[in-house]
Amino acid sequence: MVDLSIIIPTLDPDREFGWEGKIAAADVEAELLVCTEGSASAARNEGIREAEAEKLVFLDDDSVPQGEYFDRVAELLDEYPAVTGPIRDTGAPVTRGLSTQYDQGSVGHPTETVVGCNMAVRREVIADVGPFDERLPYGHEETELTDRICESYTVWYDPELTVEHPFAESISDYLEKQYRHGKESIPYYQIRGTDVHKQMAKFIFVPSYYVSSTVRKSMLSAVGQVVSNVGMLRGYVQYELGNTRPIGRGSSESDTATADRDSVP
């Protein structure tokens, strides 16, 4: 009986990760599902359908689990319906520390913040709240799923459940991610029924989104937030004013909207 199903979305079906030995060394039995559907959401959903275990672990193809990660996550999922942990940024030194979501401290606690490169959920929870929303092919898809999970269940942050993962490989990579994150925030707000205008105003006008812990980080954060705001305005024109709002999951119209969102001008 498989204890864990480890689901990894990737564009490279032959990719090797270098940590497969950790699975063999673990006390739990685990299967590795490398999924190559057209988007991260679709690939993860394909993995959910193929998984044999009741405990589902989601990693990115550049996540590197640390220590006895698989034994720890199996133990935690016996106690909690969904879990996450810290992410050690291995990206470019100049961009390290810019993600406020990567490390939530050294004490375990309930959380509503989950990054898709380090999350695990019981299958019964997914069956209850639904899978990843494929109308969000890149960006916010794990946040939207976490929103639904937290409406009925507790997500536990465990400081021992660590993975290494690069936030950005360069300043240009960081700015590109900020742009896409801002642009794809609009369909996320639409799906969640959030007031788009209030959210846009918050990120554009609240000063705290432009500062960080040091002068250098504040300069990069300010530039990154401006780029994210530009992406958000572009998304507003495309999705809100252009009336390409997300519709029912899995329909042909939804697939068309997904294709539109994958194109970056």
Side-chain angles (χ1 to χ4, degrees):
M1 178 66 180
V2 177
D3 298 298
L4 296 177
S5 293
I6 304 158
I7 300 169
I8 300 180
T10 184
L11 297 176
D12 181 3
D14 300 318
R15 179 159 185 162
E16 295 182 357
F17 305 104
W19 47 259
E20 289 87 346
K22 287 181 178 288
I23 299 176
D27 291 334
V28 296
E29 184 175 349
E31 63 174 349
L32 182 61
L33 300 171
V34 179
C35 303
T36 58
E37 293 297 308
S39 70
S41 295
R44 289 175 177 134
N45 287 342
E46 179 62 26
I48 292 169
R49 289 189 290 269
E50 294 180 3
E52 296 182 15
E54 294 302 311
K55 299 174 181 178
L56 309 176
V57 179
F58 299 97
L59 300 171
D60 283 357
D61 61 3
D62 50 359
S63 297
V64 181
Q66 300 297 294
E68 298 179 351
Y69 180 92
F70 299 109
D71 291 325
R72 182 62 179 166
V73 74
E75 177 185 351
L76 287 167
L77 285 175
D78 283 335
E79 186 173 357
Y80 301 102
V83 296
T84 188
I87 301 158
R88 191 179 302 155
D89 189 356
T90 57
V94 70
T95 62
R96 289 179 191 171
L98 292 178
S99 174
T100 59
Q101 298 178 323
Y102 267 31
D103 191 342
Q104 300 180 48
S106 59
V107 178
H109 59 269
T111 183
E112 295 184 357
T113 301
V114 176
V115 182
C117 63
N118 185 12
M119 65 183 298
V121 186
R122 293 179 192 162
R123 179 191 292 275
E124 64 192 40
V125 174
I126 298 293
D128 183 23
V129 306
F132 289 90
D133 194 319
E134 295 181 22
R135 296 171 292 177
L136 296 169
Y138 175 90
H140 306 282
E141 73 278 1
E142 69 267 44
T143 302
E144 195 278 332
L145 175 59
T146 302
D147 290 342
R148 285 183 275 128
I149 292 174
C150 288
E151 289 172 358
S152 304
Y153 301 93
T154 296
V155 179
W156 184 257
Y157 170 86
D158 185 85
E160 296 181 24
L161 196 68
T162 303
V163 302
E164 291 185 344
H165 181 270
F167 176 55
E169 300 290 358
S170 64
I171 292 179
S172 62
D173 182 34
Y174 165 65
L175 295 178
E176 180 184 356
K177 286 183 176 181
Q178 287 296 101
Y179 177 85
R180 285 206 284 178
H181 188 271
K183 181 171 179 280
E184 298 306 322
S185 67
I186 302 302
Y188 164 68
Y189 297 144
Q190 292 172 338
I191 288 169
R192 294 302 299 166
T194 304
D195 189 311
V196 173
H197 299 98
K198 286 184 178 179
Q199 290 297 318
M200 292 178 65
K202 178 178 71 173
F203 286 107
I204 292 173
F205 297 116
V206 174
S208 60
Y209 290 102
Y210 296 84
V211 297
S212 188
S213 57
T214 67
V215 173
R216 179 186 64 81
K217 289 181 181 178
S218 291
M219 292 175 63
L220 287 172
S221 292
V223 174
Q225 187 58 51
V226 169
V227 171
S228 179
N229 293 343
V230 171
M232 189 163 46
L233 291 170
R234 176 65 180 87
Y236 180 77
V237 171
Q238 179 174 342
Y239 303 127
E240 190 79 4
L241 299 183
N243 201 29
T244 55
R245 290 173 173 266
I247 54 179
R249 183 187 296 123
S251 68
S252 59
E253 292 91 350
S254 177
D255 293 339
T256 300
T258 295
D260 289 342
R261 284 195 298 276
D262 272 336
S263 63
V264 176

